[in-house]
Amino acid sequence: MDRSAQSHDSMAAMEPVPGASSHGADPHGWHWPAALTVCSGRQALSLVARWCRAHAITTALLPAYHCETMATPFWLEAMAVRPVAVDGRLQFDPAALHSAVDACAGPAAILTCRVGAMTVTEELAQELSRARQLGHLVVEDATHSLLDELIDPFPLDLAASNPEPPADIRIASLRKLLPVPDGAWITTAPGITLDPLRSRGAQDEAVTRTGLELLEAQHAWRAQPIISSTEPGSAPPECAALLTAMARADAALDATLSPAPAGPVTLTMLARIDLPRWALAWRRANSRLCSLLAGDVRPLNAGRACFPLIRSTHSTSIDKSLAAHGAFAPQYWSRPSWLSEDADWPEDVLSIDVAPDDTEQRAVTLATAIAAALVPA
């Protein structure tokens, strides 16, 4: 696949990642080289989908376990989206990916993701490398792993055997793990030039404004002592402002998929974050919560610089128990409506609402709520 053909004008209007080099965030030179900051992860994927269509890539392979917003930008470019089975780490099953790649009649975009910042198996790394060698486009969504890799670069030591980056394009939505209202990073391998961005408009300002309101609501709610709802399974009325802010922020993001630069407020906030320090704080918060779990609860990513992911046959009860304390799953991926009935979907996976600045008491309260959900009514 000729990645230089039909290229577009450069994105000179975009801003480089603030502080990436000063924090030593790129030890191998390929994590975020010359990364650019756009308004949202949805917009970053829109840039990828547009490039695909311009280069005759009409199929996208996604892990069967994914957020439906990952598929939307490809649908909007009239691309076929095909799910590929995942393994126990919620990443591509290597054998399934091998078969899916071989079944493609032409070049495909392969969207891989280290869910929960879990490590990549050597088998999957080899399959992704094989796909690139065959001319397919590998796109890594590093939203969950962008902080963990500052501590442990790529989880496999590929530098000695393969000096190339592990993907052709890398993206990461920033608001999941960083205290910013919006924003996403995107970087491409040499020869891949994306469409230029439009100027920011009212919808983009609404994304930043509602994102700031959400940050304020989250801070205000976490500053209060944890309280439990008197109605089992329902959220405490005191967190109504938080729920409203969450809904408004998500609605603003859904309303603007056309790519634009991140705003000055977000760029200023990013420049002030000590990323490696924040990554270590996330690891501590994750480890603290996971160390308190027992019974029918299996942590998937204990100690990673990401919110904890667990598997449990009681995941629905746990989710309701946590919601009664005003703790809402930071990652809620419902089964996409377009998946076939026979497609596997991990119904027992749940993300836990912790944060780097949580107190030990909050961790104990959440662990207690989880334990209570395991007791038969």
Side-chain angles (χ1 to χ4, degrees):
M1 178 170 52
D2 181 3
R3 297 189 171 94
S4 61
Q6 304 179 31
S7 63
H8 300 276
D9 294 337
S10 64
M11 298 181 288
M14 291 196 212
E15 295 290 338
V17 173
S21 60
S22 63
H23 288 304
D26 191 21
H28 289 309
W30 47 251
H31 275 117
W32 297 102
L36 304 167
T37 310
V38 296
C39 190
S40 70
R42 294 166 173 84
Q43 292 187 8
L45 281 174
S46 293
L47 284 171
V48 174
R50 291 179 181 185
W51 189 91
C52 288
R53 286 294 296 175
H55 292 79
I57 297 177
T58 59
T59 299
L61 302 181
L62 270 62
Y65 183 66
H66 66 274
C67 176
E68 200 156 3
T69 58
M70 295 178 181
T72 301
F74 298 102
W75 284 333
L76 292 176
E77 295 300 325
M79 295 177 63
V81 177
R82 297 177 183 169
V84 178
V86 297
D87 61 12
R89 303 183 190 214
L90 307 177
Q91 301 173 36
F92 283 125
D93 175 81
L97 179 61
H98 186 106
S99 298
V101 167
D102 284 350
C104 291
I110 302 171
L111 184 61
T112 184
C113 176
R114 282 178 58 198
V115 178
M118 285 182 271
T119 56
V120 177
T121 65
E122 185 174 358
E123 292 78 11
L124 176 54
Q126 291 172 349
E127 288 300 331
L128 292 172
S129 177
R130 170 180 176 266
R132 295 185 73 203
Q133 292 169 6
L134 291 173
H136 299 284
L137 183 82
V138 173
V139 181
E140 182 187 4
D141 182 342
T143 297
H144 291 183
S145 56
L146 72 103
L147 288 178
D148 204 74
E149 68 187 20
L150 300 185
I151 305 168
D152 293 329
F154 196 66
L156 291 174
D157 185 13
L158 300 182
S161 59
N162 182 8
E164 295 187 22
D168 300 289
I169 301 176
R170 301 188 84 223
I171 66 168
S173 177
L174 303 178
R175 72 187 188 114
K176 283 290 186 186
L177 298 180
L178 297 177
V180 294
D182 53 25
W185 288 339
I186 182 168
T187 188
T188 64
I192 297 179
T193 304
L194 305 174
D195 280 351
L197 303 183
R198 60 174 173 80
S199 300
R200 283 177 63 84
Q203 288 183 316
D204 306 296
E205 298 303 332
V207 169
T208 301
R209 183 179 65 255
T210 56
L212 287 170
E213 291 170 356
L214 176 57
L215 285 174
E216 292 174 1
Q218 289 172 329
H219 179 75
W221 175 245
R222 288 180 181 276
Q224 301 179 34
I226 289 185
I227 55 178
S228 180
S229 173
T230 56
E231 297 290 334
S234 62
E238 291 84 355
C239 68
L242 172 61
L243 292 173
T244 298
M246 291 168 64
R248 284 168 55 87
D250 280 341
L253 286 167
D254 287 336
T256 175
L257 297 180
S258 179
V265 171
T266 298
L267 295 177
T268 298
M269 294 175 73
L270 275 174
R272 293 172 178 169
I273 300 173
D274 185 329
L275 296 178
R277 198 171 186 178
W278 196 245
L280 290 171
W282 261 113
R283 280 197 164 188
R284 286 193 295 270
N286 179 311
S287 297
R288 180 167 51 205
L289 189 281
C290 288
S291 69
L292 298 172
L293 302 178
D296 179 27
V297 179
R298 180 164 66 91
L300 295 178
N301 64 337
R304 293 290 173 183
C306 184
F307 45 77
L309 287 174
I310 65 169
R311 298 193 84 152
S312 173
T313 57
H314 295 81
S315 60
T316 300
S317 298
I318 293 172
D319 194 26
K320 291 180 179 179
S321 181
L322 291 172
H325 290 79
F328 308 102
Q331 169 195 294
Y332 177 69
W333 292 355
S334 58
R335 182 188 179 94
S337 57
W338 60 277
L339 275 186
S340 63
E341 292 184 0
D342 60 346
D344 289 334
W345 181 264
E347 302 284 357
D348 59 346
V349 174
L350 182 67
S351 61
I352 309 299
D353 178 28
V354 305
D357 52 357
D358 277 353
T359 63
E360 184 172 351
Q361 180 55 48
R362 186 173 190 275
V364 170
T365 301
L366 295 183
T368 301
I370 292 172
L374 306 179
V375 179

